[in-house]
Amino acid sequence: MTAVPEFGGEPLHPDGARAFAAAWAWEAHQLGFVPLSMAETERLLLVHTVRLARALLAEDFTAQPAGDVGRALVEAHLTEPGLLDWMVTALGERFVAEVLPVRAGLPGTAERVAALQGRLAAGFARALRARTFHQQESIARSAWLARDAAEQALRDSEARFRAVFTGAAIGIGIAGVDGRITDVNQSFADMLGYSIEELREIDVASLTHPDDAAGMWELYRELIEGKHDSARVEKRYYRKDGSVVWTDLAVSLIRYDDGRPRFTVAMIEDITERYELQQRLTFQALHDPLTDLPNRTLFFETLGRVLDDAGPDHRVGVCFLDLDGFKAVNDGFGHDLGDRLLVTIARRLAECVAGRGHLVARMGGDEFVILVDGGDGLDEAVGVAEMALAAVSAPVRVGGHQLSVSASVGIVECPCAETSASELMKAADTTLYWAKADGRGRWAVYDPERSARDLARAALAAGLPAALERGEFVVHYQPIVSLLDSSMVAVEALVRWQHPELGLVGPDRFIGLAEETGLIVQLGEWVLRQACRDAEAWHREFPEGKLMVSVNLAARQADDPAIVETVADALRSTRLPAALLQLELTESAVMGSAAEPLRSLQQLADLGVRLAIDDFGTGYSNLAYLRRLPIHCLKLAGPFVEGIRADDPGAADRRDERIVDALVRLAHALELWVTAEAVETPAQAERLQALRCDTGQGRWFGGPVPAAGITARLRGEGTP
């Protein structure tokens, strides 16, 4: 009695599994005789349904359970061939939807189902073949033993043998050791399309398919020489009409009493349908169902074989192609039209490289890859990429719409000995990203140095959150000096990363990463609070100095609705007077501010905090808009200051100086303070003073130093 499985806690659908097993049992009873009742058949097939479902769900997937199910069907005498056809079809069309809806549409499901289909068919066929040949071999041996038995039973033996020989469902043929056919049964004749009389006049060699003739004759020669007693192979034969039939051939050698070869007996089963099914399943497993191109499985198998078989000078290239904006096509015209577009693109790609023998595969979605095997170098790979881009860019007319799409291609080309399949595809994927970032509709070539920089950048980005938690960031301060009396009136807080491996890392290497990842808000708040703490300590020790601290505010921080409360809390918790805090925002961040950020700036100004525009002159420069902002200070961009570095007052190009003069006059007209950045020479300081600029900062007045350096300077212990 077969135990009915329990379903508790499993993701398979119990009712769906039972319904599937019931449909399977019904089909079995409709197709032929079943030695079980309907209820018994359903219980048996429910067990096999669950086995297939669990195999499909397994984390370490293997299709072997499907082969066991196929063998079990034969052992249960459910051997009607139509039942196997039904099960293979049902596995592909309804099994996942009814029994495992949780797997529907997940990546890898179709490949697993195809593997189960193939293994089920193979297990069924092997079990059926083994049982059939076991029975047939026993029959044949019995027949020949009966034929050689005592003379008094010869007639009875002959009758029994003839009954088996003529009535067998598989082909049986007898041939001498010279290869001449001496007798065949009707099944043998029907299989090859000849009459029995015609076959008795034919040599075995004339039926052999030329593609396996050499191997077959070697095997047959060893058999008739007595080196083997039997042989079994799958091989092809030509039918009389010229068509090909695939067979499972078992040949046994019959010897004389003294051991000499006497004749051979061949039993042949037509396995053409099973072979074609296996070929179809193999094709489905290795090809994309939409475009019929090789899929990623076949691509990686081919690439691995190329790399394994490559000689020392053999080269390989990969062109990894992705359509630009394909999602817009799907969203705007529907997935059906998008699929038709993909089919057209796939055909064009295959055609454009067909004459060069390159493999084109679909990796999934709108990604394709071209394998350039044994090319002449990078120029050939680039040529393939350019042909592919040209093929894709030609307008496509689909469903009454004329669509124009472009693609980006990442190119990797190198000697086979210097790479592996995973490294090659990782580099191709990275290069495809570069092509997309460079503007799309183009190709990019893999650059190891650029990749190393990207990897280092990615490593820094990944380490930012933990670095903030571990307290690896520090704040340095750069003096801001009055150009009138050279006194230090403010400092700008500049964050640094004290990396455990790279040492002190400047903001140019990680601030952009923090902005991209969103960590800039948390990091900026930490810098703000630390700067307020340090500034309060200076104010407590030097209350008469009124040293102001200037903190940069990123665009994301300015857009954060909680920014006003964050600044207010930092002032409260550190007891720093609001007038001693200045927040610097970039010109682009404030000039395009919407209503909410503009209200936040006004609320910050209402707290008493000073607001400054950093790098003024490099962004929008919307002077009319500037009047509406609660700004207290403009910080002139460094490039303008660099232009007045020359000591020769008679220099021909004084445009930067005139720009600085105009900006200072404009700022003063708006009652704004002006700070010049990047002051590096005494000549610059003198010219800025003459232009009535208020304050300056740069290496001439001192570089960024830890808080202790500013404290020492305030105490008169020397310039940091």
Side-chain angles (χ1 to χ4, degrees):
M1 187 68 177
T2 303
V4 178
E6 295 293 332
F7 299 98
E10 292 191 308
L12 58 85
H13 194 287
D15 292 337
R18 293 189 182 96
F20 189 89
W24 194 357
W26 185 88
E27 188 70 23
H29 280 266
Q30 290 297 309
L31 289 172
F33 171 76
V34 178
L36 300 172
S37 68
M38 180 63 78
E40 291 172 330
T41 306
E42 286 187 21
R43 285 196 295 271
L44 173 65
L45 296 181
L46 178 58
V47 171
H48 296 323
T49 299
V50 173
R51 291 177 71 185
L52 293 171
R54 288 172 176 163
L56 189 58
L57 284 170
E59 181 175 355
D60 295 327
F61 173 75
T62 174
Q64 181 57 43
D68 297 338
V69 170
R71 187 183 67 252
L73 293 177
V74 175
E75 293 173 352
H77 304 286
L78 301 177
T79 57
E80 178 59 37
L83 183 60
L84 175 61
D85 293 340
W86 183 90
M87 186 54 197
V88 170
T89 302
L91 263 180
E93 295 180 354
R94 56 189 285 190
F95 184 79
V96 174
E98 293 180 13
V99 181
L100 288 171
V102 297
R103 286 287 308 187
L106 293 181
T109 297
E111 290 77 3
R112 290 190 175 195
V113 169
L116 291 177
Q117 288 175 312
R119 190 58 64 89
L120 176 66
F124 183 94
R126 281 197 295 268
L128 182 61
R129 182 177 61 198
R131 191 181 73 168
T132 300
F133 277 105
H134 177 73
Q135 295 172 345
Q136 293 163 351
E137 188 172 357
S138 297
I139 292 172
R141 287 187 179 277
S142 297
W144 289 112
L145 288 174
R147 192 174 184 181
D148 289 339
E151 290 186 2
Q152 63 270 23
L154 182 57
R155 291 182 181 179
D156 293 339
S157 303
E158 180 67 21
R160 287 194 296 271
F161 169 75
R162 275 297 155 191
V164 171
F165 184 78
T166 58
I170 66 170
I172 301 176
I174 304 170
V177 293
D178 59 355
R180 299 291 299 178
I181 296 175
T182 59
D183 203 359
V184 296
N185 67 354
Q186 191 61 47
S187 295
F188 191 107
D190 293 342
M191 187 184 307
L192 298 182
Y194 292 91
S195 67
I196 293 177
E197 290 71 20
E198 288 174 323
L199 286 172
R200 286 173 177 164
E201 302 298 323
I202 292 177
D203 191 281
V204 173
S206 64
L207 299 175
T208 302
H209 195 281
D211 289 347
D212 55 17
M216 272 304 302
W217 273 113
E218 182 179 352
L219 183 64
Y220 188 72
R221 184 173 61 253
E222 292 179 353
L223 185 71
I224 63 178
E225 289 175 355
K227 295 181 180 179
H228 308 290
D229 285 331
S230 62
R232 188 169 183 173
V233 293
E234 289 186 359
K235 70 177 304 296
R236 289 162 289 183
Y237 283 107
Y238 277 124
R239 292 173 53 86
K240 184 177 180 180
D241 60 7
S243 61
V244 174
V245 57
W246 275 91
T247 67
D248 191 328
L249 170 67
V251 183
S252 297
L253 175 66
I254 306 300
R255 301 174 183 268
Y256 288 104
D257 292 341
D258 60 3
R260 290 180 296 111
R262 186 176 177 183
F263 55 84
T264 60
V265 178
M267 292 182 288
I268 304 178
E269 178 189 8
D270 185 348
I271 61 168
T272 303
E273 290 186 3
R274 175 170 66 83
Y275 178 82
E276 291 176 349
L277 173 62
Q278 289 177 333
Q279 292 299 104
R280 288 197 301 272
L281 294 176
T282 300
F283 183 89
Q284 292 171 6
L286 298 176
H287 289 76
D288 173 54
L290 177 65
T291 63
D292 282 342
L293 288 179
N295 60 14
R296 63 183 301 114
T297 300
L298 180 54
F299 172 79
F300 277 106
E301 286 182 0
T302 305
L303 177 58
R305 187 166 57 252
V306 168
L307 295 177
D308 291 341
D309 299 341
D313 299 325
H314 198 83
R315 303 185 69 86
V316 65
V318 166
C319 298
F320 197 5
L321 180 147
D322 180 83
L323 300 183
D324 298 328
F326 180 71
K327 183 178 183 299
V329 176
N330 273 341
D331 294 344
F333 299 97
H335 288 268
D336 179 63
L337 189 141
D339 287 347
R340 293 164 66 184
L341 173 63
L342 287 175
V343 171
T344 301
I345 295 299
R347 185 184 68 250
R348 288 181 176 180
L349 290 175
E351 290 173 352
C352 78
V353 300
R356 298 173 176 239
H358 302 318
L359 174 70
V360 180
R362 184 187 180 198
M363 300 298 282
D366 58 343
E367 292 182 341
F368 300 88
V369 64
I370 303 174
L371 177 61
V372 183
D373 178 19
D376 295 332
L378 180 59
D379 289 344
E380 180 170 352
V382 170
V384 169
E386 290 178 341
M387 285 193 300
L389 289 176
V392 170
S393 64
V396 180
R397 189 158 192 85
V398 181
H401 302 278
Q402 182 164 308
L403 305 177
S404 294
V405 295
S406 64
S408 301
V409 182
I411 304 172
V412 183
E413 199 280 337
C414 64
C416 292
E418 297 179 4
T419 189
S420 66
S422 60
E423 291 173 350
L424 198 64
M425 292 310 299
K426 181 179 179 182
D429 187 59
T430 298
T431 312
L432 174 61
Y433 173 80
W434 294 345
K436 292 277 189 185
D438 290 344
R440 302 185 175 189
R442 64 188 63 202
W443 50 265
V445 177
Y446 179 69
D447 179 1
E449 294 182 0
R450 181 175 177 180
S451 178
R453 291 195 299 270
D454 286 353
L455 288 174
R457 191 169 183 269
L460 284 178
L464 279 173
L468 188 58
E469 291 180 5
R470 291 193 296 262
E472 294 178 1
F473 291 97
V474 295
V475 179
H476 287 187
Y477 299 92
Q478 185 170 33
I480 299 176
V481 174
S482 169
L483 292 175
L484 184 62
D485 59 9
S486 299
S487 63
M488 184 171 61
V489 296
V491 291
E492 180 179 356
L494 301 170
V495 65
R496 303 288 189 267
W497 183 356
Q498 189 63 54
H499 197 282
E501 298 176 359
L502 302 177
L504 195 64
V505 178
D508 56 315
R509 294 184 59 184
F510 65 84
I511 289 296
L513 298 176
E515 291 177 342
E516 292 174 10
T517 60
L519 192 68
I520 191 64
V521 175
Q522 187 178 354
L523 178 59
E525 181 178 347
W526 178 86
V527 172
L528 172 66
R529 294 183 182 276
Q530 182 61 44
C532 288
R533 282 192 291 269
D534 291 337
E536 194 280 331
W538 294 322
H539 178 63
R540 195 177 343 108
E541 185 174 352
F542 310 100
E544 71 287 349
K546 303 293 183 182
L547 184 69
M548 182 174 59
V549 64
S550 190
V551 179
N552 290 284
L553 204 63
R556 282 201 183 192
Q557 290 178 275
D559 291 340
D560 186 358
I563 184 60
V564 177
E565 179 55 33
T566 298
V567 173
D569 183 67
L571 293 172
R572 282 195 303 269
S573 62
T574 60
R575 298 182 180 181
L576 177 69
L580 297 185
L581 175 63
Q582 176 172 277
L583 298 177
E584 295 186 19
L585 298 94
T586 61
E587 185 179 355
S588 58
V590 299
M591 288 303 183
S593 295
E596 185 59 37
L598 185 58
R599 279 195 295 271
S600 297
L601 294 180
Q602 187 60 60
Q603 291 171 356
L604 289 172
D606 292 343
L607 289 176
V609 173
R610 289 171 55 87
L611 299 175
I613 296 181
D614 194 15
D615 288 331
F616 185 77
T618 61
Y620 292 91
S621 301
N622 190 331
L623 302 180
Y625 191 77
L626 187 63
R627 295 184 296 109
R628 300 170 50 196
L629 298 174
I631 300 299
H632 303 86
C633 176
L634 295 182
K635 299 189 72 174
L636 300 183
F640 297 129
V641 177
E642 291 175 0
I644 59 174
R645 181 183 301 175
D647 295 331
D648 180 9
D653 189 355
R654 305 297 293 273
R655 286 176 295 179
D656 287 331
E657 184 173 325
R658 288 194 291 269
I659 291 173
V660 171
D661 181 41
L663 292 177
V664 171
R665 291 175 183 274
L666 169 65
H668 286 168
L670 296 173
E671 299 181 351
L672 300 178
W673 197 261
V674 182
T675 299
E677 298 181 295
V679 181
E680 299 186 357
T681 67
Q684 288 175 312
E686 289 177 6
R687 291 304 303 152
L688 289 168
Q689 183 182 25
L691 294 173
R692 301 175 62 83
C693 186
D694 301 295
T695 56
Q697 72 179 100
R699 284 188 294 181
W700 174 248
F701 302 113
V705 295
I710 299 299
T711 303
R713 183 164 176 166
L714 290 171
R715 291 173 180 170
E717 297 175 358
T719 302

